Amino acid sequence: MGYREEMTAMGKRAREAAHQMAKAGTTLKQRFLEKTAERLGAERDRLAQANALDIAAAEEKGLPKAKVDRLRLTDKVLKEMTDGLRQVAQLPDPVGQVTGLWTRPNGLRVGRMRIPLGVVGIIYESRPNVTVDAAGLCIKAGNAVILRGGSEAFHSNRCLAKILQETLREVGLPEAAVQVVETTDREAVLELLRLEEFIDVMIPRGGEELIRFVAENARMPVLKHYKGVCHIYVDERVDMDMAEKVCLNAKVQRPGVCNAMETLLVHRAAAPVFLPRMAEVFRRHGVELRGCPETCRLVPECRPATDEDWGMEYLDLILAVKVVGSMEEAIDHIARYGSNHTEAILTEDFDRAMRFLQEVQSSLVLVNASTRFNDGYQLGLGAEIGISTSRLHAFGPMGVEELTTTKFIAFGSGQLRD
Amino acid sequence: MGYREEMTAMGKRAREAAHQMAKAGTTLKQRFLEKTAERLGAERDRLAQANALDIAAAEEKGLPKAKVDRLRLTDKVLKEMTDGLRQVAQLPDPVGQVTGLWTRPNGLRVGRMRIPLGVVGIIYESRPNVTVDAAGLCIKAGNAVILRGGSEAFHSNRCLAKILQETLREVGLPEAAVQVVETTDREAVLELLRLEEFIDVMIPRGGEELIRFVAENARMPVLKHYKGVCHIYVDERVDMDMAEKVCLNAKVQRPGVCNAMETLLVHRAAAPVFLPRMAEVFRRHGVELRGCPETCRLVPECRPATDEDWGMEYLDLILAVKVVGSMEEAIDHIARYGSNHTEAILTEDFDRAMRFLQEVQSSLVLVNASTRFNDGYQLGLGAEIGISTSRLHAFGPMGVEELTTTKFIAFGSGQLRD
């Protein structure tokens, strides 16, 4: 059987399972999530065996240690997976929620009801815990899911998928609600991306190259998660103690992630006091600064920024710094170099705070708080399947609700159209 | 200049205009819509001249009369356009609406705020009024729009676009907020479909072939509007007088549109009384029936349906009819042959009404009302840019709100991430 037939058959099974899943009640889906958590704990040995195969293969291939470590299903990773599943089990079920109901002049009562998206495709790299996290969220929202993990985690993913499917069968849900593409051939992925009839949305999670490949080849809609070039603008009217703590947190609390600050913009009136002080704090924390000429004058040890520094996602202890003449200049800089991910203003001025909130078009805009809050858990969504940087359907962190859509419903009493 | 450069330049101008549009206030957008309505009335002669060129070309090419008529900018069409613009001007502005605000344990107040989608691309066929309708809705929602109309309406579209741009300039909005692709070459469209950096969503409006072409070639998300194979299920417990009126309305009030009924499903217990009676009404209205064997036994003049009749979008005075043993059988039939557009149940039974609403996964599901209500105006959205049959972002009629997205906003007081 060629890849086309194989993927099409998989898509058909998923569509059929999605029909069943859409009717599955809250309790049944909850039971599945809790049972899976239980079983993952009980099947520790079986998982360890599968995982060992991936680790051995990775070491043999000579993958760097950091990459090999990301593959490991340690007790800590296992606990995070099971805790995550139990948390998702407790979240409110979005399916069936009516998000509004209004009455038309002819008496027809019209509303919107949340329903599952249908079939979700997820293409991801390396870390095997995504298999469980993503499957859990998709099932909670009443979807079927097709997962295609990275080749390095092949055995771990297959073992996790089997456990998920065994649990689906055990609780009486369709096994095909979770399917894993068991080949690492790119041709198979290409066929998957052509199944717009059977897959409603594709979510790539990984590096920029993977996301571009999916976006260029997929015929179904793609929810993209591109890079985060996050800015903080420090206004002229600012509480400098607060600004110092927020900027430090945004840069160093976890510099390797997409919601860490990459560029600091400082109002000219605040710069002479704030920048030398902040630079000293950054110096103590090992942050390298790359500044505009004005920044370099105020902070003599600062290295001059080049054109490439604006809009750079360092994912490291490096920060671009620029002095601006006004908030408008800061907003323009963000529009030009930002990636629409996360931007914050630090200010005591109410008008400017509200204007910044309104005018900056990023997936999260904050006043007086760290950019590091752009995360489904932190914002209160309960869980997260990724942070969308495309504007359609979901913009920003995607939780369970973002894995649903709405249909219109209408309650009538024989209404006719004139 | 090649198409790639031309389209890229257009995309860049649109992106720049979208930044301006996002900041445009409600009053300014309203003034644009009202002024355009006014000016369209005043520029009647100029429009008539441009339109005459299209009509002459169409007649010369020997287009069928119905197609030529759809091109005509008659006084009636002009009035509909200007009335539409004035209505859209009066709708509430969705931009800036905060759709929810909650407080996190750390005191951070998190919410969602509506913002424009950005740049909307619309590719459509023939009727020139779409130029004005679509541009009006996009501007209302704070977007920039790139329009590519059919070659038959070339001169009319160009003239309408000029009037729109003149009005944009007059009220102080960026002219590039409305741009028209002034070539009918398919290569130009292909280049447009590759501009995922500058166009946030593509909306094709037209026949299935056009939609497939766009879906297969676009790198940005596509909001599709496929066919409507709409079903009505007449339950065993039904008010037959009501059912007769609703079925007649759904089939004959305007048979050539996507929300007209194409298949009637009747419960076996209701069929012996309902079908002969309904068949008589349909006969009087010139509707040809194509029935399952049971239907043909009850309605002797009924022509037997073939396999192709199930799932057929006739867009004509033809109706497929099937007797079913239960509501479940009706729902399964719909899942198998339907197009997820519009489905209705006619019943007096509360439980079955609620189950049908819940289990049928179409963009509009009705109880005791005609399928013809699946329309933005009829459902109370105030306007409509199309009916989406894809589930992502918008499912069903798309109004002004569906031309926006939401970003997260957060009000803090120095919150840091642990």
Side-chain angles (χ1 to χ4, degrees), chain A residues 108 410 412 414-417, chain B residues 232 242 245-251 253 259-261 342-344 346 364 366-374 379:
Chain A
L108 195 67
Q415 277 82 358
L416 310 176
R417 178 116 177 236
Chain B
I232 291 183
M242 185 270 283
K245 285 184 197 120
V246 171
C247 290
L248 182 68
N249 183 265
K251 184 67 238 177
Q253 195 255 347
N259 56 20
M261 168 171 62
T342 313
E343 262 69 52
L346 310 183
L364 171 62
L366 308 109
V367 179
N368 297 337
S370 170
T371 55
R372 291 279 293 113
F373 285 108
N374 199 352
L379 294 180

PDB file of all heavy atoms in Angstrom, chain A residues 108 410 412 414-417, chain B residues 232 242 245-251 253 259-261 342-344 346 364 366-374 379:
ATOM      1  N   LEU A 108     -37.726  33.777  15.746  1.00  0.00           N
ATOM      2  CA  LEU A 108     -36.700  32.734  15.691  1.00  0.00           C
ATOM      3  C   LEU A 108     -35.624  33.054  16.730  1.00  0.00           C
ATOM      4  O   LEU A 108     -35.108  34.170  16.776  1.00  0.00           O
ATOM      5  CB  LEU A 108     -36.083  32.710  14.283  1.00  0.00           C
ATOM      6  CG  LEU A 108     -35.253  31.473  13.886  1.00  0.00           C
ATOM      7  CD1 LEU A 108     -36.156  30.240  13.785  1.00  0.00           C
ATOM      8  CD2 LEU A 108     -34.573  31.712  12.534  1.00  0.00           C
ATOM      9  N   ALA A 410     -30.865  27.297  15.809  1.00  0.00           N
ATOM     10  CA  ALA A 410     -32.057  28.144  15.760  1.00  0.00           C
ATOM     11  C   ALA A 410     -33.276  27.355  16.237  1.00  0.00           C
ATOM     12  O   ALA A 410     -33.505  26.240  15.791  1.00  0.00           O
ATOM     13  CB  ALA A 410     -32.275  28.666  14.346  1.00  0.00           C
ATOM     14  N   GLY A 412     -37.201  27.373  16.304  1.00  0.00           N
ATOM     15  CA  GLY A 412     -38.293  28.030  15.617  1.00  0.00           C
ATOM     16  C   GLY A 412     -39.655  27.482  15.993  1.00  0.00           C
ATOM     17  O   GLY A 412     -39.787  26.574  16.824  1.00  0.00           O
ATOM     18  N   GLY A 414     -41.998  27.202  13.172  1.00  0.00           N
ATOM     19  CA  GLY A 414     -42.566  27.200  11.828  1.00  0.00           C
ATOM     20  C   GLY A 414     -42.229  28.421  11.006  1.00  0.00           C
ATOM     21  O   GLY A 414     -42.892  28.694   9.999  1.00  0.00           O
ATOM     22  N   GLN A 415     -41.166  29.162  11.355  1.00  0.00           N
ATOM     23  CA  GLN A 415     -40.807  30.378  10.600  1.00  0.00           C
ATOM     24  C   GLN A 415     -40.454  30.061   9.139  1.00  0.00           C
ATOM     25  O   GLN A 415     -39.761  29.094   8.857  1.00  0.00           O
ATOM     26  CB  GLN A 415     -39.605  31.084  11.239  1.00  0.00           C
ATOM     27  CG  GLN A 415     -39.963  31.986  12.415  1.00  0.00           C
ATOM     28  CD  GLN A 415     -40.127  31.210  13.702  1.00  0.00           C
ATOM     29  OE1 GLN A 415     -40.006  29.985  13.722  1.00  0.00           O
ATOM     30  NE2 GLN A 415     -40.420  31.903  14.774  1.00  0.00           N
ATOM     31  N   LEU A 416     -40.942  30.944   8.250  1.00  0.00           N
ATOM     32  CA  LEU A 416     -40.664  30.835   6.814  1.00  0.00           C
ATOM     33  C   LEU A 416     -39.931  32.084   6.360  1.00  0.00           C
ATOM     34  O   LEU A 416     -40.070  33.152   6.964  1.00  0.00           O
ATOM     35  CB  LEU A 416     -41.973  30.733   6.029  1.00  0.00           C
ATOM     36  CG  LEU A 416     -42.992  29.698   6.507  1.00  0.00           C
ATOM     37  CD1 LEU A 416     -44.262  29.810   5.671  1.00  0.00           C
ATOM     38  CD2 LEU A 416     -42.415  28.294   6.406  1.00  0.00           C
ATOM     39  N   ARG A 417     -39.184  31.956   5.292  1.00  0.00           N
ATOM     40  CA  ARG A 417     -38.490  33.127   4.746  1.00  0.00           C
ATOM     41  C   ARG A 417     -39.370  33.780   3.684  1.00  0.00           C
ATOM     42  O   ARG A 417     -39.920  33.102   2.818  1.00  0.00           O
ATOM     43  CB  ARG A 417     -37.168  32.654   4.129  1.00  0.00           C
ATOM     44  CG  ARG A 417     -36.379  33.747   3.480  1.00  0.00           C
ATOM     45  CD  ARG A 417     -35.074  34.006   4.139  1.00  0.00           C
ATOM     46  NE  ARG A 417     -34.356  35.037   3.404  1.00  0.00           N
ATOM     47  CZ  ARG A 417     -33.135  34.892   2.907  1.00  0.00           C
ATOM     48  NH1 ARG A 417     -32.494  33.754   3.100  1.00  0.00           N
ATOM     49  NH2 ARG A 417     -32.554  35.871   2.249  1.00  0.00           N
TER      50      ARG A 417
ATOM     51  N   ILE B 232     -33.951  18.416   5.336  1.00  0.00           N
ATOM     52  CA  ILE B 232     -34.950  18.556   6.397  1.00  0.00           C
ATOM     53  C   ILE B 232     -35.388  17.157   6.801  1.00  0.00           C
ATOM     54  O   ILE B 232     -35.656  16.307   5.941  1.00  0.00           O
ATOM     55  CB  ILE B 232     -36.175  19.393   5.939  1.00  0.00           C
ATOM     56  CG1 ILE B 232     -35.754  20.859   5.752  1.00  0.00           C
ATOM     57  CG2 ILE B 232     -37.312  19.285   6.953  1.00  0.00           C
ATOM     58  CD1 ILE B 232     -36.919  21.779   5.376  1.00  0.00           C
ATOM     59  N   MET B 242     -47.586  22.713   9.674  1.00  0.00           N
ATOM     60  CA  MET B 242     -46.326  23.472   9.764  1.00  0.00           C
ATOM     61  C   MET B 242     -45.284  22.846   8.844  1.00  0.00           C
ATOM     62  O   MET B 242     -44.602  23.551   8.087  1.00  0.00           O
ATOM     63  CB  MET B 242     -45.866  23.476  11.223  1.00  0.00           C
ATOM     64  CG  MET B 242     -44.635  24.308  11.521  1.00  0.00           C
ATOM     65  SD  MET B 242     -43.109  23.348  11.361  1.00  0.00           S
ATOM     66  CE  MET B 242     -43.137  22.426  12.890  1.00  0.00           C
ATOM     67  N   LYS B 245     -45.679  23.713   5.193  1.00  0.00           N
ATOM     68  CA  LYS B 245     -45.279  25.087   4.847  1.00  0.00           C
ATOM     69  C   LYS B 245     -43.767  25.252   4.858  1.00  0.00           C
ATOM     70  O   LYS B 245     -43.190  25.904   3.991  1.00  0.00           O
ATOM     71  CB  LYS B 245     -45.913  26.076   5.832  1.00  0.00           C
ATOM     72  CG  LYS B 245     -47.398  26.297   5.566  1.00  0.00           C
ATOM     73  CD  LYS B 245     -47.956  27.355   6.499  1.00  0.00           C
ATOM     74  CE  LYS B 245     -49.483  27.276   6.541  1.00  0.00           C
ATOM     75  NZ  LYS B 245     -50.001  27.000   7.894  1.00  0.00           N
ATOM     76  N   VAL B 246     -43.109  24.673   5.875  1.00  0.00           N
ATOM     77  CA  VAL B 246     -41.662  24.842   5.994  1.00  0.00           C
ATOM     78  C   VAL B 246     -40.946  24.134   4.842  1.00  0.00           C
ATOM     79  O   VAL B 246     -40.027  24.698   4.224  1.00  0.00           O
ATOM     80  CB  VAL B 246     -41.154  24.332   7.368  1.00  0.00           C
ATOM     81  CG1 VAL B 246     -39.628  24.293   7.398  1.00  0.00           C
ATOM     82  CG2 VAL B 246     -41.684  25.218   8.494  1.00  0.00           C
ATOM     83  N   CYS B 247     -41.384  22.910   4.520  1.00  0.00           N
ATOM     84  CA  CYS B 247     -40.729  22.173   3.428  1.00  0.00           C
ATOM     85  C   CYS B 247     -40.914  22.901   2.093  1.00  0.00           C
ATOM     86  O   CYS B 247     -39.982  22.985   1.285  1.00  0.00           O
ATOM     87  CB  CYS B 247     -41.271  20.751   3.334  1.00  0.00           C
ATOM     88  SG  CYS B 247     -40.750  19.725   4.729  1.00  0.00           S
ATOM     89  N   LEU B 248     -42.106  23.425   1.882  1.00  0.00           N
ATOM     90  CA  LEU B 248     -42.357  24.149   0.639  1.00  0.00           C
ATOM     91  C   LEU B 248     -41.451  25.381   0.560  1.00  0.00           C
ATOM     92  O   LEU B 248     -40.795  25.632  -0.456  1.00  0.00           O
ATOM     93  CB  LEU B 248     -43.832  24.566   0.564  1.00  0.00           C
ATOM     94  CG  LEU B 248     -44.210  25.304  -0.730  1.00  0.00           C
ATOM     95  CD1 LEU B 248     -44.135  24.359  -1.924  1.00  0.00           C
ATOM     96  CD2 LEU B 248     -45.606  25.929  -0.622  1.00  0.00           C
ATOM     97  N   ASN B 249     -41.393  26.133   1.667  1.00  0.00           N
ATOM     98  CA  ASN B 249     -40.563  27.337   1.700  1.00  0.00           C
ATOM     99  C   ASN B 249     -39.093  26.995   1.449  1.00  0.00           C
ATOM    100  O   ASN B 249     -38.404  27.666   0.675  1.00  0.00           O
ATOM    101  CB  ASN B 249     -40.727  28.025   3.067  1.00  0.00           C
ATOM    102  CG  ASN B 249     -39.958  29.336   3.171  1.00  0.00           C
ATOM    103  OD1 ASN B 249     -38.839  29.366   3.668  1.00  0.00           O
ATOM    104  ND2 ASN B 249     -40.544  30.421   2.662  1.00  0.00           N
ATOM    105  N   ALA B 250     -38.612  25.944   2.106  1.00  0.00           N
ATOM    106  CA  ALA B 250     -37.190  25.577   1.995  1.00  0.00           C
ATOM    107  C   ALA B 250     -36.839  25.155   0.571  1.00  0.00           C
ATOM    108  O   ALA B 250     -35.723  25.362   0.104  1.00  0.00           O
ATOM    109  CB  ALA B 250     -36.854  24.467   2.980  1.00  0.00           C
ATOM    110  N   LYS B 251     -37.813  24.552  -0.136  1.00  0.00           N
ATOM    111  CA  LYS B 251     -37.514  24.089  -1.491  1.00  0.00           C
ATOM    112  C   LYS B 251     -37.759  25.147  -2.560  1.00  0.00           C
ATOM    113  O   LYS B 251     -36.918  25.323  -3.437  1.00  0.00           O
ATOM    114  CB  LYS B 251     -38.339  22.841  -1.814  1.00  0.00           C
ATOM    115  CG  LYS B 251     -38.026  22.214  -3.178  1.00  0.00           C
ATOM    116  CD  LYS B 251     -36.641  21.626  -3.271  1.00  0.00           C
ATOM    117  CE  LYS B 251     -35.780  22.175  -4.360  1.00  0.00           C
ATOM    118  NZ  LYS B 251     -34.405  21.619  -4.382  1.00  0.00           N
ATOM    119  N   GLN B 253     -38.887  28.658  -2.311  1.00  0.00           N
ATOM    120  CA  GLN B 253     -38.842  30.120  -2.163  1.00  0.00           C
ATOM    121  C   GLN B 253     -37.714  30.718  -3.000  1.00  0.00           C
ATOM    122  O   GLN B 253     -37.825  31.807  -3.534  1.00  0.00           O
ATOM    123  CB  GLN B 253     -38.709  30.481  -0.684  1.00  0.00           C
ATOM    124  CG  GLN B 253     -39.030  31.949  -0.396  1.00  0.00           C
ATOM    125  CD  GLN B 253     -37.775  32.752  -0.137  1.00  0.00           C
ATOM    126  OE1 GLN B 253     -36.697  32.211   0.066  1.00  0.00           O
ATOM    127  NE2 GLN B 253     -37.920  34.072  -0.144  1.00  0.00           N
ATOM    128  N   ASN B 259     -28.772  27.574   0.485  1.00  0.00           N
ATOM    129  CA  ASN B 259     -29.512  27.143   1.680  1.00  0.00           C
ATOM    130  C   ASN B 259     -30.909  26.596   1.378  1.00  0.00           C
ATOM    131  O   ASN B 259     -31.736  26.450   2.273  1.00  0.00           O
ATOM    132  CB  ASN B 259     -29.558  28.265   2.726  1.00  0.00           C
ATOM    133  CG  ASN B 259     -30.147  29.544   2.148  1.00  0.00           C
ATOM    134  OD1 ASN B 259     -30.833  29.506   1.129  1.00  0.00           O
ATOM    135  ND2 ASN B 259     -29.885  30.664   2.797  1.00  0.00           N
ATOM    136  N   ALA B 260     -31.163  26.285   0.107  1.00  0.00           N
ATOM    137  CA  ALA B 260     -32.428  25.637  -0.253  1.00  0.00           C
ATOM    138  C   ALA B 260     -32.339  24.141   0.084  1.00  0.00           C
ATOM    139  O   ALA B 260     -31.269  23.555   0.030  1.00  0.00           O
ATOM    140  CB  ALA B 260     -32.709  25.821  -1.741  1.00  0.00           C
ATOM    141  N   MET B 261     -33.485  23.538   0.455  1.00  0.00           N
ATOM    142  CA  MET B 261     -33.487  22.102   0.765  1.00  0.00           C
ATOM    143  C   MET B 261     -33.242  21.279  -0.505  1.00  0.00           C
ATOM    144  O   MET B 261     -33.821  21.550  -1.554  1.00  0.00           O
ATOM    145  CB  MET B 261     -34.829  21.699   1.380  1.00  0.00           C
ATOM    146  CG  MET B 261     -35.015  20.186   1.467  1.00  0.00           C
ATOM    147  SD  MET B 261     -36.446  19.670   2.420  1.00  0.00           S
ATOM    148  CE  MET B 261     -37.809  20.367   1.490  1.00  0.00           C
ATOM    149  N   THR B 342     -26.595  23.354   6.143  1.00  0.00           N
ATOM    150  CA  THR B 342     -27.796  23.678   6.910  1.00  0.00           C
ATOM    151  C   THR B 342     -28.691  22.452   7.024  1.00  0.00           C
ATOM    152  O   THR B 342     -28.961  21.797   6.006  1.00  0.00           O
ATOM    153  CB  THR B 342     -28.621  24.785   6.202  1.00  0.00           C
ATOM    154  OG1 THR B 342     -27.738  25.828   5.822  1.00  0.00           O
ATOM    155  CG2 THR B 342     -29.699  25.327   7.103  1.00  0.00           C
ATOM    156  N   GLU B 343     -29.132  22.132   8.219  1.00  0.00           N
ATOM    157  CA  GLU B 343     -30.042  21.006   8.404  1.00  0.00           C
ATOM    158  C   GLU B 343     -31.128  21.399   9.392  1.00  0.00           C
ATOM    159  O   GLU B 343     -30.861  22.147  10.328  1.00  0.00           O
ATOM    160  CB  GLU B 343     -29.268  19.787   8.949  1.00  0.00           C
ATOM    161  CG  GLU B 343     -28.863  18.768   7.908  1.00  0.00           C
ATOM    162  CD  GLU B 343     -27.789  19.231   6.913  1.00  0.00           C
ATOM    163  OE1 GLU B 343     -26.739  19.705   7.340  1.00  0.00           O
ATOM    164  OE2 GLU B 343     -28.013  19.104   5.696  1.00  0.00           O
ATOM    165  N   ALA B 344     -32.355  20.875   9.159  1.00  0.00           N
ATOM    166  CA  ALA B 344     -33.465  21.197  10.062  1.00  0.00           C
ATOM    167  C   ALA B 344     -34.211  19.934  10.458  1.00  0.00           C
ATOM    168  O   ALA B 344     -34.301  18.980   9.679  1.00  0.00           O
ATOM    169  CB  ALA B 344     -34.424  22.182   9.387  1.00  0.00           C
ATOM    170  N   LEU B 346     -38.062  18.885  11.896  1.00  0.00           N
ATOM    171  CA  LEU B 346     -39.403  19.368  12.181  1.00  0.00           C
ATOM    172  C   LEU B 346     -40.025  18.352  13.123  1.00  0.00           C
ATOM    173  O   LEU B 346     -40.213  17.186  12.758  1.00  0.00           O
ATOM    174  CB  LEU B 346     -40.218  19.499  10.890  1.00  0.00           C
ATOM    175  CG  LEU B 346     -39.523  20.285   9.756  1.00  0.00           C
ATOM    176  CD1 LEU B 346     -40.453  20.427   8.545  1.00  0.00           C
ATOM    177  CD2 LEU B 346     -39.083  21.669  10.239  1.00  0.00           C
ATOM    178  N   LEU B 364     -25.454  25.556  10.408  1.00  0.00           N
ATOM    179  CA  LEU B 364     -26.705  25.979  11.068  1.00  0.00           C
ATOM    180  C   LEU B 364     -27.603  24.759  11.209  1.00  0.00           C
ATOM    181  O   LEU B 364     -27.846  24.047  10.233  1.00  0.00           O
ATOM    182  CB  LEU B 364     -27.431  27.066  10.257  1.00  0.00           C
ATOM    183  CG  LEU B 364     -28.849  27.408  10.740  1.00  0.00           C
ATOM    184  CD1 LEU B 364     -28.870  27.969  12.154  1.00  0.00           C
ATOM    185  CD2 LEU B 364     -29.536  28.406   9.793  1.00  0.00           C
ATOM    186  N   LEU B 366     -31.432  23.818  12.602  1.00  0.00           N
ATOM    187  CA  LEU B 366     -32.673  24.472  13.020  1.00  0.00           C
ATOM    188  C   LEU B 366     -33.691  23.461  13.527  1.00  0.00           C
ATOM    189  O   LEU B 366     -33.716  22.308  13.091  1.00  0.00           O
ATOM    190  CB  LEU B 366     -33.321  25.219  11.855  1.00  0.00           C
ATOM    191  CG  LEU B 366     -32.495  26.209  11.049  1.00  0.00           C
ATOM    192  CD1 LEU B 366     -32.219  25.656   9.663  1.00  0.00           C
ATOM    193  CD2 LEU B 366     -33.216  27.539  10.945  1.00  0.00           C
ATOM    194  N   VAL B 367     -34.540  23.929  14.415  1.00  0.00           N
ATOM    195  CA  VAL B 367     -35.720  23.175  14.819  1.00  0.00           C
ATOM    196  C   VAL B 367     -36.931  23.962  14.334  1.00  0.00           C
ATOM    197  O   VAL B 367     -37.047  25.167  14.623  1.00  0.00           O
ATOM    198  CB  VAL B 367     -35.800  23.025  16.360  1.00  0.00           C
ATOM    199  CG1 VAL B 367     -37.068  22.261  16.741  1.00  0.00           C
ATOM    200  CG2 VAL B 367     -34.571  22.320  16.901  1.00  0.00           C
ATOM    201  N   ASN B 368     -37.800  23.302  13.593  1.00  0.00           N
ATOM    202  CA  ASN B 368     -39.068  23.891  13.163  1.00  0.00           C
ATOM    203  C   ASN B 368     -38.928  25.244  12.453  1.00  0.00           C
ATOM    204  O   ASN B 368     -39.633  26.204  12.786  1.00  0.00           O
ATOM    205  CB  ASN B 368     -40.030  24.020  14.359  1.00  0.00           C
ATOM    206  CG  ASN B 368     -40.388  22.654  14.927  1.00  0.00           C
ATOM    207  OD1 ASN B 368     -40.296  21.635  14.236  1.00  0.00           O
ATOM    208  ND2 ASN B 368     -40.785  22.616  16.187  1.00  0.00           N
ATOM    209  N   ALA B 369     -37.983  25.321  11.514  1.00  0.00           N
ATOM    210  CA  ALA B 369     -37.875  26.529  10.696  1.00  0.00           C
ATOM    211  C   ALA B 369     -37.205  26.157   9.380  1.00  0.00           C
ATOM    212  O   ALA B 369     -36.549  25.118   9.268  1.00  0.00           O
ATOM    213  CB  ALA B 369     -37.099  27.619  11.417  1.00  0.00           C
ATOM    214  N   SER B 370     -37.349  27.027   8.409  1.00  0.00           N
ATOM    215  CA  SER B 370     -36.854  26.769   7.056  1.00  0.00           C
ATOM    216  C   SER B 370     -35.326  26.878   6.980  1.00  0.00           C
ATOM    217  O   SER B 370     -34.719  27.745   7.616  1.00  0.00           O
ATOM    218  CB  SER B 370     -37.500  27.795   6.110  1.00  0.00           C
ATOM    219  OG  SER B 370     -36.910  27.753   4.840  1.00  0.00           O
ATOM    220  N   THR B 371     -34.721  26.014   6.157  1.00  0.00           N
ATOM    221  CA  THR B 371     -33.260  26.083   5.953  1.00  0.00           C
ATOM    222  C   THR B 371     -32.839  27.410   5.331  1.00  0.00           C
ATOM    223  O   THR B 371     -31.691  27.800   5.433  1.00  0.00           O
ATOM    224  CB  THR B 371     -32.777  24.960   5.008  1.00  0.00           C
ATOM    225  OG1 THR B 371     -33.519  25.030   3.776  1.00  0.00           O
ATOM    226  CG2 THR B 371     -32.978  23.592   5.634  1.00  0.00           C
ATOM    227  N   ARG B 372     -33.789  28.091   4.696  1.00  0.00           N
ATOM    228  CA  ARG B 372     -33.477  29.356   4.013  1.00  0.00           C
ATOM    229  C   ARG B 372     -32.974  30.451   4.954  1.00  0.00           C
ATOM    230  O   ARG B 372     -32.531  31.489   4.504  1.00  0.00           O
ATOM    231  CB  ARG B 372     -34.711  29.830   3.240  1.00  0.00           C
ATOM    232  CG  ARG B 372     -35.060  28.961   2.043  1.00  0.00           C
ATOM    233  CD  ARG B 372     -34.215  29.295   0.819  1.00  0.00           C
ATOM    234  NE  ARG B 372     -34.556  30.630   0.343  1.00  0.00           N
ATOM    235  CZ  ARG B 372     -33.716  31.662   0.396  1.00  0.00           C
ATOM    236  NH1 ARG B 372     -32.508  31.513   0.874  1.00  0.00           N
ATOM    237  NH2 ARG B 372     -34.109  32.842  -0.053  1.00  0.00           N
ATOM    238  N   PHE B 373     -33.039  30.213   6.284  1.00  0.00           N
ATOM    239  CA  PHE B 373     -32.565  31.245   7.225  1.00  0.00           C
ATOM    240  C   PHE B 373     -31.052  31.285   7.374  1.00  0.00           C
ATOM    241  O   PHE B 373     -30.533  32.130   8.083  1.00  0.00           O
ATOM    242  CB  PHE B 373     -33.230  31.062   8.591  1.00  0.00           C
ATOM    243  CG  PHE B 373     -34.665  31.504   8.605  1.00  0.00           C
ATOM    244  CD1 PHE B 373     -35.695  30.585   8.670  1.00  0.00           C
ATOM    245  CD2 PHE B 373     -34.977  32.857   8.522  1.00  0.00           C
ATOM    246  CE1 PHE B 373     -37.016  30.992   8.658  1.00  0.00           C
ATOM    247  CE2 PHE B 373     -36.305  33.275   8.508  1.00  0.00           C
ATOM    248  CZ  PHE B 373     -37.330  32.337   8.575  1.00  0.00           C
ATOM    249  N   ASN B 374     -30.322  30.365   6.738  1.00  0.00           N
ATOM    250  CA  ASN B 374     -28.863  30.417   6.888  1.00  0.00           C
ATOM    251  C   ASN B 374     -28.286  31.531   6.024  1.00  0.00           C
ATOM    252  O   ASN B 374     -27.887  31.335   4.870  1.00  0.00           O
ATOM    253  CB  ASN B 374     -28.202  29.079   6.557  1.00  0.00           C
ATOM    254  CG  ASN B 374     -26.808  29.013   7.159  1.00  0.00           C
ATOM    255  OD1 ASN B 374     -26.304  30.009   7.687  1.00  0.00           O
ATOM    256  ND2 ASN B 374     -26.168  27.856   7.084  1.00  0.00           N
ATOM    257  N   LEU B 379     -30.000  35.793  10.264  1.00  0.00           N
ATOM    258  CA  LEU B 379     -29.639  35.320  11.606  1.00  0.00           C
ATOM    259  C   LEU B 379     -29.283  36.475  12.540  1.00  0.00           C
ATOM    260  O   LEU B 379     -29.008  36.261  13.721  1.00  0.00           O
ATOM    261  CB  LEU B 379     -28.475  34.319  11.530  1.00  0.00           C
ATOM    262  CG  LEU B 379     -28.804  32.993  10.819  1.00  0.00           C
ATOM    263  CD1 LEU B 379     -27.587  32.082  10.812  1.00  0.00           C
ATOM    264  CD2 LEU B 379     -29.980  32.287  11.488  1.00  0.00           C
TER     265      LEU B 379
END
